[in-house]
Amino acid sequence: MPKVVQKLYNTCREVFVNNSPGFVPPPEDIERLRLVIDNVKPTNVGLTPDMPYFKLFETEEVPAVTYLHIYECDKFSIGIFCLPPSAVIPLHNHPNMTVFSKLLFGSMHIKSYDWVSDTPITQPLHPERRLAKVHIDSDFTAPCEPSILFPAAGGNMHCFTAITPCAVLDVLGPPYSDSEGRHCTYYNTLPFTSYPGAGDLGIFPEEELEKYAWLEEREKPDEFVVVGAVYRGPRVTGP
């Protein structure tokens, strides 16, 4: 077991060694890290679905999400999100980051967006809203391939909704940092056609209008609670 987690750490160090905000590792490094992440199993990180992190308690109106911290430096971070059934990680972004996510077990719905930058559409009355296009809107059940998002593609803004108890391995390069301008921003979504006349502009085919939405920044939802817990799987060794 320890070798799998240590190999993940070692590979992240190599892939993100020259990492800086907005830097995207070359395709061969992306694929190398993807293969390592794809080989991580729940048992490799000491997780089973019957642990308390994944239970839905009757007293909870909105289930809390548990985060297990494995490693973090200024170049990358490794951790695991543990979600009980119906728990939600609301729509949020990953500014200037490359992110790998692996569903270790369970089923979840993922919806993600990318900004639309090649259209002149704006909302004069609501300039804070930006147009985005759906990248993924599907249910996933483990085992499945890791998802990879990039600073400007791949579904940089995403939302996770747990269908069953599930665990997600998360690798961020670089991690969030308020001091360096990588702040986690949350969003509300409004249908593209909610803006009067938007559907009459003829820029997008009518059958594709539902793939577009206006994203509006919001504060972190009060009901979204992340609880830190001690990671009890194999440790990594290194600087």
Side-chain angles (χ1 to χ4, degrees), residues 135-155:
H135 178 72
I136 289 174
D137 187 7
S138 300
D139 293 342
F140 292 84
T141 299
C144 54
E145 292 189 358
S147 64
I148 308 170
L149 60 85
F150 303 97

Side-chain angles (χ1 to χ4, degrees), residues 113-116 130-134 157 211-215:
Y113 298 84
D114 285 315
W115 296 121
V116 174
R130 289 186 62 184
L131 189 61
K133 183 178 182 180
V134 173
M157 289 80 68
K211 297 180 181 179
Y212 294 85
W214 301 102
L215 268 55

Side-chain angles (χ1 to χ4, degrees), residues 43-81:
T43 53
N44 299 141
V45 290
L47 289 180
T48 60
D50 60 353
M51 289 179 162
Y53 316 132
F54 307 106
K55 295 187 182 301
L56 183 61
F57 297 98
E58 294 182 0
T59 56
E60 292 181 319
E61 292 186 8
V62 180
V65 174
T66 301
Y67 182 73
L68 307 178
H69 169 78
I70 297 177
Y71 180 84
E72 181 172 334
C73 64
D74 62 344
K75 299 293 186 182
F76 65 92
S77 67
I78 305 171
I80 300 170
F81 287 100

Side-chain angles (χ1 to χ4, degrees), residues 9 31 45 52 59 64 69-70 131 145 156 173 185 193 197 222 231:
Y9 164 79
E31 178 61 12
V45 290
T59 56
H69 169 78
I70 297 177
L131 189 61
E145 292 189 358
N156 188 276
T185 302
T193 52
D222 292 338
Y231 166 67

Side-chain angles (χ1 to χ4, degrees), residues 12-25 74-77 96-98 151 172-175 180 182:
C12 285
R13 283 201 65 203
E14 295 166 1
V15 168
F16 294 119
V17 62
N18 296 316
N19 207 15
S20 59
F23 168 80
V24 176
D74 62 344
K75 299 293 186 182
F76 65 92
S77 67
N96 291 318
M97 299 155 68
T98 301
L172 310 180
E180 296 181 9
R182 294 189 301 280

Side-chain angles (χ1 to χ4, degrees), residues 54-232:
F54 307 106
K55 295 187 182 301
L56 183 61
F57 297 98
E58 294 182 0
T59 56
E60 292 181 319
E61 292 186 8
V62 180
V65 174
T66 301
Y67 182 73
L68 307 178
H69 169 78
I70 297 177
Y71 180 84
E72 181 172 334
C73 64
D74 62 344
K75 299 293 186 182
F76 65 92
S77 67
I78 305 171
I80 300 170
F81 287 100
C82 305
L83 292 81
S86 76
V88 176
I89 298 179
L91 187 66
H92 62 284
N93 70 343
H94 306 82
N96 291 318
M97 299 155 68
T98 301
V99 180
F100 297 75
S101 297
K102 161 77 174 192
L103 184 59
L104 296 174
F105 62 76
S107 297
M108 68 164 34
H109 185 87
I110 300 176
K111 189 166 189 177
S112 65
Y113 298 84
D114 285 315
W115 296 121
V116 174
S117 57
D118 57 354
T119 174
I121 297 178
T122 59
Q123 287 196 19
L125 298 179
H126 300 280
E128 73 280 4
R129 296 176 184 172
R130 289 186 62 184
L131 189 61
K133 183 178 182 180
V134 173
H135 178 72
I136 289 174
D137 187 7
S138 300
D139 293 342
F140 292 84
T141 299
C144 54
E145 292 189 358
S147 64
I148 308 170
L149 60 85
F150 303 97
N156 188 276
M157 289 80 68
H158 66 198
C159 171
F160 292 161
T161 302
I163 300 171
T164 69
C166 53
V168 181
L169 175 66
D170 220 34
V171 175
L172 310 180
Y176 289 107
S177 172
D178 289 343
S179 63
E180 296 181 9
R182 294 189 301 280
H183 175 69
C184 184
T185 302
Y186 296 88
Y187 299 93
N188 287 321
T189 62
L190 299 93
F192 171 62
T193 52
S194 66
Y195 181 62
D200 300 327
L201 297 176
I203 292 180
F204 309 121
E206 185 173 352
E207 63 273 14
E208 292 191 5
L209 293 182
E210 64 181 16
K211 297 180 181 179
Y212 294 85
W214 301 102
L215 268 55
E216 184 177 59
E217 292 187 14
R218 62 172 296 182
E219 295 295 323
K220 178 183 175 182
D222 292 338
E223 65 273 15
F224 176 46
V225 177
V226 179
V227 179
V230 177
Y231 166 67
R232 301 188 182 280

